[in-house]
């Protein structure tokens, strides 16, 4: 099993920045890819960004490309989502997620952290 704990959400003004962090514990050796999802009220959960644990392509949703950056620190079993130039449309609950072997699906989820962008 893998446990994920997020931190770093909160309130930001339009144009502002926030950084989210996700710390993994347990069987972290099985994780092959890490990601961030978000879910706004009355909307489906969407994948915002994802990064492989080792090497490979990084994914960004069109709505955040150029403003958000996903990064990892494997030594700390932690990954981050740096969010810049925030917009009110970025308001959502953000979830970190992990893809393990052998399923290669996002099977593990954090509890979620609220991000609110408002003036």
């Amino acid at each position: 099993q893998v446990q994920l704990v997020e931190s770093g959400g909160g309130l930001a003004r339009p144009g502002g920045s926030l950084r989210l962090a996700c710390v993994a514990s347990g069987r972290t050796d099985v994780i092959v890819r890490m990601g961030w999802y978000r879910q706004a009220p009355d909307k489906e959960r969407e994948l915002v960004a994802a990064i492989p644990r080792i090497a490979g392509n990084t994914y960004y949703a069109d709505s955040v490309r150029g403003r958000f950056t996903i990064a990892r620190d494997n030594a700390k079993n932690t990954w981050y989502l740096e969010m810049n130039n925030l917009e009110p449309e970025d308001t959502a609950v953000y979830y970190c997620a992990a893809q393990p072997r052998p399923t290669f699906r996002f099977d593990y989820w954090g509890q979620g952290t609220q991000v609110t962008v408002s003036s």
Side-chain angles (χ1 to χ4, degrees):
Q1 290 293 321
V2 175
Q3 295 79 42
L4 305 178
V5 178
E6 301 117 338
S7 61
L11 175 65
R13 294 188 182 278
S17 299
L18 286 172
R19 190 175 80 153
L20 307 182
C22 181
V23 179
S25 61
R27 285 291 313 278
T28 59
D29 58 300
V30 302
I31 297 174
V32 295
R33 192 164 177 244
M34 302 88 88
W36 289 95
Y37 280 77
R38 69 184 180 187
Q39 187 165 20
D42 300 323
K43 291 189 176 180
E44 293 187 357
R45 189 174 296 191
E46 65 168 337
L47 179 62
V48 174
I51 188 169
R53 187 180 179 90
I54 308 299
N57 294 327
T58 301
Y59 166 85
Y60 292 100
D62 289 343
S63 57
V64 306
R65 188 175 294 112
R67 300 188 297 120
F68 290 11
T69 302
I70 188 170
R72 63 178 184 267
D73 184 338
N74 289 341
K76 296 181 179 179
N77 289 314
T78 300
W79 54 101
Y80 306 92
L81 187 67
E82 183 76 36
M83 304 183 293
N84 297 315
N85 196 19
L86 284 162
E87 303 170 352
E89 294 72 24
D90 296 317
T91 296
V93 178
Y94 285 71
Y95 299 88
C96 66
Q99 277 186 358
R101 293 187 305 271
T103 66
F104 296 94
R105 295 189 305 262
F106 282 110
D107 289 336
Y108 297 108
W109 295 84
Q111 79 283 3
T113 185
Q114 177 70 45
V115 170
T116 302
V117 183
S118 175
S119 56

